[in-house]
Each structure stands twice: as structure tokens, then as C-alpha cells.
Amino acid sequence: MIGLISATAAGAAARDRLAAAWPRRTRVYEGPVGDAVRAAFAECEQLVCFLATGAVVRLVAPLLGGKATDPGVVCVDEGGRFAVSLVGGHAGGANELARRVGGVLGAEPVVTTATDAVGVPGLDTLGLPVEGDVAGVTRALLDGEPVTLDAEVPWPLPALPFAARGGHTVRLTDRAVRPQGGEVLLRPPSLVVGVGASRGVSADEVCALVEGALRDAGLSARSVAALATVDAKRDEPGIVEAAARFGVPVLTHPAEELAKVAVPNPSGAPLTAVGTPSVAEAAALARGGELLVPKRKSARADGHAAMATCAVVRRPARGRLAVVGLGPGARDLLTPRATAELRRAAVLVGLDQYVDQIRDLLRPGTRVLESGLGAEEERARTAVVEARRGQAVALIGSGDAGVYAMASPALAEASDDIDVIGVPGVTAALAAGAILGAPLGHDHVSISLSDLHTPWEVIERRVRAAAEADLVVTFYNPRSRGRDWQLPKALAILAGHREPGTPVGVVRNASRPEESSRVTTLAGLDPATVDMMTVVTVGNTATRIVAGRMVTPRGYRWQGEAR
């Protein structure tokens, strides 16, 4: 919950705007400001104070306990010009909150955390449990001192300026070791604990069993990603409560799937009870991995039979591939999600001219693999290979990466051994449509006229079908030096079904500094004025030009009235 506190009418107005934008995430604190801040500090995860920073400093100073427990505090000035991350920038989430508050109120986020200022991700913001000399190692990174990465377990991390050798170390490990001087331990969620249990097992018995198994194997409980079991035990209270104590989910699998998993210690008891010869080992190994702790039973002090079994598996590291659409070119049409993925990536793969568009957004240390036109499939393979190595990879394309761009070849190469995240972007058709007016107001279709990957016979059949169906058509890749006849042919097909005066919009370099656009007609369009940087949108029989803009009505009643 986010507590909102204000002292004046101007502050209350901005406060109420934020409360209206986030109705289920915020709570307004009324009354004397001091009392309100103290109450919100005790009850909320974050605070937004519409007060002067000096006033907030004096109010929260006596309340501060430690960066790991203090809520994030953001100050917004009475004019709503700035959203200042004051306390808990990383651990309390105040840096991100300042950005989000700024997005709602139109305020400039002010973030002074050293790592954010220079573009280096904070070691305590990577989403992994962290131990050791965080401040010292972070300072070394900021000062340019060599810091090495010791990745005992490969895991996708964002770009960090690591060196081959250095006096400081970031150690990525799931082993139960203590950090040394000048060392930070990052705990990846690499362990899956399979659990089998009799009905009525207690959470204490399950937890004691799991903790003992991890301790004896020298493994850290902070790297446990999940407790896994058979579907029949999905709601077993002892397992559910044990998972809650570890702060992890319960993963369940059908008995018939677990029965197919090869395990070293099958047993007849679970086969009779739930239909699989193994629960603990099979559930832990269901998604692959290395068996670190074979099945073991719980030990009960009361002498009764064990009611739980467990096994521990180190799951395979899964790389992360984000397929990112950059939009049509303008920076303000690049989505916040796309920007976040670019900054999360350790490896960027893309066409050289697209890399140049966003190079300034990359974090220091990002490895850039760029190539020229015509190497789409090679880039897709490269991105997938890097992800399979356990890297965090961003593969970029213009517009939306799923529309005539990199998502298709990348996903054709990828299998289920990596995580794939699609990040949508503003397509060329949408950017051009916004410039032209509202040409896509009814059913429409996009067709690429490039026969590099698609035979012309197929393209022509699709154009003819769109013409007969009276769809608005947006042509991508309409004309190049080596392909100068396809666009006239496509226009001729459409002309067989539409009037010569049908509106046609032509947009070149949509949203870029050299943008140009014009509205003409099907009969008046000169294909020689079109190139590969152009998008051509041909209206349907209902499309009209209104005040110089293309408009396709949402229904056909307008067409009847116009006649």
C-alpha cells in the first residue's frame, strides 16, 4: 500500500489525482501532517508526501530503522514539478515509484542514487537475494575499480562492468557459503525441492526435512525457487504452509507425467497411493536438472513413521530472450517496457541502424552484436544461442517485432529451454495511420510486397482477396530499386474493385525527423515516388477525405448516406 500525505490545497489536488489513478494501491492520510506521516510510515510499504523535502526529512528521520526495512519515500513539490526519491531508493522502491508518480502527474522524477545516476544497476535491485559487502562492491563498480563475476551457477543478469580480475567479487552461487571481504553473494533461484507427504503431515516436519537436506548438501535456502509435488497433494496443508514459510510457490505435476520421469529411487508406496513410483525425486526432476540430494525421509522425534520425503535438484539455468519492438523511430514512441528491457539486457542483438537509435539507453558493459541488412535469420540464431548460454538477451526490431520483424525467425529457432518475452511496439501501419487521420477505422490488412521470402503468386493472391473483401490495405516494403513493378501491379488489382478516387495515404519515415506524408487517390498515386521507407495505405469503398485527412468509418451507414 502507498500512503499519500499532503498539507495544502495544492498538494491535496495532486494527491487526489494520484489516488484516482491508483485507487486500489493508495491510502490517503488526513489530519495533522506529523501524525499522518508516522501512521503511514508504520502501515505502508511506500509513501508519497506532497510536502517540501526539508519537512519530510525532519518528520521521517526519527522513524528510520534501516535500508532493508524502511518504506520508500517520495516527495512531490506543491507545484507538481518534481517527484524526488528521498528514502529507500532501491530496497524501498522509491526510485521506481518516483518515476511512476512522475508519469501520472507529469512531474520530473529526481533520482540521486549513485548507481542510477551512472546507469549501473544496483546489486540490490537485481531481483535476487543479496549478501555481503554490497556498499563496498557497488562503490568499486562506480569508481571503475575491477570487479569480477564468479558465476558458479549461470543466471541471466543485466549488464554490469565486470573485469577478468579484480579485488572485489560478485559471486553467483546457491551454495551455503559466507561472503568474504570485498565480496557480494547473489542467490539465484536455482533449486527445486521435490516433496512427497502422507495426508496430515505437519509443516514443521516438512520444513525440518527440507532444511536438513539443504544444510547437509551445503546449499542455501535462499536459492530455493519452489516446492514441487504431485497434483494430488496440491492442497495438502503441511506442504502449502511449508512453501509459505520458505516464501516460494508450490508446483504440482500430474501423476502420469511424474511416472515417466526416470528416478534412482522408485517405490511401490507412492505408486499405490497417488499413481506414480516417485513423488519427491520425480517432481524435483520434472523440468530437468541435476539431482543434488536423492530422496530422503523425515526423522520424527516421537518414533512414529516418517510422513514426508524430499529431494533437491539444481534446475538448468534458463536464459532470457526479450524480443523488443522499437516503434517507428521517434524516441517518444518507444514504450517504457521496451526501454526497461533494453536496460535489463546483458547482450543486445540487432540491425546496426536500429542499434544506433537506442545505443544511449544501454547500460555500461552491454555486449552489442550488430549486423547489416539481410542477416535477419543469423541475428535470430545468434540471439537464441546467447540466451541458451544463460544470458539476458534483447533482440530488437523496428515497429512491432512481431510484424515483419524479428519475432518470427527468433521463435522459430527457440525451444522451451529459454524464457521468451515479447515486447510490443508501435507498428509502421499505426504510426502512418495516425499521421494520415483514421484510415484503419474499419477492417484492414497489412501486406508486404517484398517477394524476397514470399513468392509473388502468394502475394498477388492475398492482394486480390483483400480487394474483393473491401479491406483497407497497408502495403509494407512497397518498392525498391530492384523491385519496381510490384506496387503498380498491386494497385491495379485494387483498382479493379475500387473507384479511381479512392483515398490513398503515403507516409515516408513516419515519426522520424525527415517525415513526409500526403493524401492522394488510387488513380493519382505515382509509384515512382515510393520507396522502402514508405508505407502506402489504400482506403476501402467507404474511406473518405475529411478536412484533408483519410477517414474510414466504423460502419457502412456513412457510405449509404453519402450516396
Side-chain angles (χ1 to χ4, degrees):
M1 186 62 66
I2 303 171
L4 305 181
I5 301 104
S6 63
T8 66
R15 176 203 69 191
D16 292 344
R17 286 174 57 197
L18 199 62
W22 300 337
R24 287 180 291 276
R25 297 163 53 197
T26 55
R27 179 188 303 164
V28 173
Y29 284 80
E30 304 280 6
V33 170
D35 294 342
V37 169
R38 284 188 289 273
F41 199 93
E43 297 169 357
C44 297
E45 291 82 21
Q46 295 175 321
L47 282 70
V48 179
C49 299
F50 295 85
L51 305 164
T53 54
V56 178
V57 167
R58 287 190 291 272
L59 288 170
V60 303
L63 309 175
L64 298 177
K67 62 186 299 182
T69 57
D70 292 334
V73 179
V74 170
C75 288
V76 179
D77 66 290
E78 303 242 337
R81 298 167 301 166
F82 304 103
V84 182
S85 173
L86 186 66
V87 172
H90 287 164
N95 291 350
E96 181 58 28
L97 179 60
R99 297 184 181 101
R100 291 189 284 115
V101 169
V104 173
L105 301 180
E108 181 71 24
V110 179
V111 176
T112 58
T113 313
T115 51
D116 295 86
V118 300
V120 175
L123 296 175
D124 53 354
T125 67
L126 302 180
L128 302 178
V130 59
E131 305 168 27
D133 187 11
V134 176
V137 175
T138 299
R139 187 163 46 250
L141 287 169
L142 294 173
D143 291 344
E145 298 178 21
V147 177
T148 61
L149 174 65
D150 181 5
E152 297 178 4
V153 180
W155 210 260
L157 296 177
L160 284 159
F162 291 122
R165 294 182 180 180
H168 298 81
T169 303
V170 173
R171 189 175 178 187
L172 196 62
T173 181
D174 57 17
R175 295 194 298 120
V177 294
R178 293 182 179 276
Q180 304 299 310
E183 182 178 64
V184 165
L185 303 182
L186 293 178
R187 301 294 190 185
S190 54
L191 304 177
V192 176
V193 180
V195 177
S198 301
R199 181 179 301 174
V201 68
S202 70
D204 288 342
E205 184 171 348
V206 175
C207 287
L209 171 63
V210 172
E211 290 166 355
L214 294 171
R215 182 176 56 252
D216 292 348
L219 299 170
S220 172
R222 303 189 79 186
S223 281
V224 174
L227 300 190
T229 189
V230 66
D231 277 351
K233 298 296 179 179
R234 180 190 304 274
D235 299 318
E236 183 65 43
I239 296 178
V240 173
E241 172 61 23
R245 293 185 191 179
F246 282 104
V248 299
V250 177
L251 301 181
T252 64
H253 305 276
E256 56 269 24
E257 289 186 11
L258 296 185
K260 299 174 184 176
V261 178
V263 298
N265 301 294
S267 172
L271 180 61
T272 301
V274 293
T276 173
S278 172
V279 173
E281 289 179 340
L285 288 165
R287 296 181 181 176
E290 176 189 2
L291 183 63
L292 302 180
V293 179
K295 181 180 73 174
R296 59 189 287 173
K297 296 181 179 180
S298 56
R300 293 175 56 117
D302 59 10
H304 287 84
M307 297 184 70
T309 60
C310 82
V312 183
V313 163
R314 178 179 288 135
R315 62 181 180 174
R318 292 179 65 85
R320 191 176 191 277
L321 173 60
V323 187
V324 181
L326 300 180
R331 179 58 60 85
D332 59 355
L333 292 181
L334 178 69
T335 67
R337 186 179 301 180
T339 300
E341 287 295 345
L342 294 175
R343 296 181 65 76
R344 179 171 181 166
V347 180
L348 182 85
V349 182
L351 179 68
D352 47 14
Q353 64 189 61
Y354 297 153
V355 172
D356 289 340
Q357 290 180 21
I358 48 82
R359 197 182 297 271
D360 62 300
L361 297 178
L362 304 179
R363 292 193 186 276
T366 304
R367 186 157 56 97
V368 177
L369 304 176
E370 54 189 312
S371 53
L373 287 168
E376 289 83 3
E377 294 180 356
E378 177 186 344
R379 285 195 291 275
R381 284 193 293 270
T382 297
V384 172
V385 166
E386 291 292 332
R388 285 183 176 143
R389 291 173 178 163
Q391 298 282 355
V393 182
L395 174 64
I396 60 175
S398 66
D400 183 285
V403 179
Y404 303 122
M406 295 305 302
S408 294
L411 269 62
E413 290 286 334
S415 55
D416 63 359
D417 58 345
I418 61 174
D419 294 324
V420 178
I421 297 90
V423 182
V426 178
T427 69
L430 296 179
I435 294 166
L436 295 170
L440 308 183
H442 207 294
D443 296 337
H444 54 274
V445 63
S446 296
I447 299 176
S448 172
L449 295 183
S450 172
D451 54 5
L452 181 63
H453 299 290
T454 307
W456 174 254
E457 293 76 15
V458 174
I459 297 173
E460 182 174 343
R461 186 166 68 247
R462 292 171 178 171
V463 174
R464 200 172 300 281
E468 294 173 353
D470 197 28
L471 297 173
V472 176
V473 181
T474 298
F475 288 123
Y476 280 69
N477 307 311
R479 184 176 181 273
S480 67
R481 293 175 182 176
R483 295 186 300 98
D484 58 1
W485 59 268
Q486 286 91 340
L487 179 59
K489 176 67 174 176
L491 295 174
I493 294 172
L494 292 176
H497 298 266
R498 300 177 193 183
E499 297 295 330
T502 299
V504 175
V506 180
V507 180
R508 189 175 190 278
N509 287 314
S511 86
R512 300 182 184 186
E514 57 273 28
E515 172 190 300
S516 64
S517 65
R518 66 185 188 280
V519 177
T520 181
T521 64
L522 191 55
L525 176 61
D526 180 5
T529 63
V530 173
D531 62 14
M532 286 289 285
M533 304 303 293
T534 305
V535 173
V536 177
T537 300
V538 182
N540 66 11
T541 58
T543 305
R544 296 289 183 267
I545 298 177
V546 181
R549 305 180 186 92
M550 284 182 70
V551 180
T552 302
R554 293 182 63 185
Y556 275 73
R557 286 177 295 179
W558 189 22
Q559 182 182 20
E561 293 169 0
R563 290 177 177 175

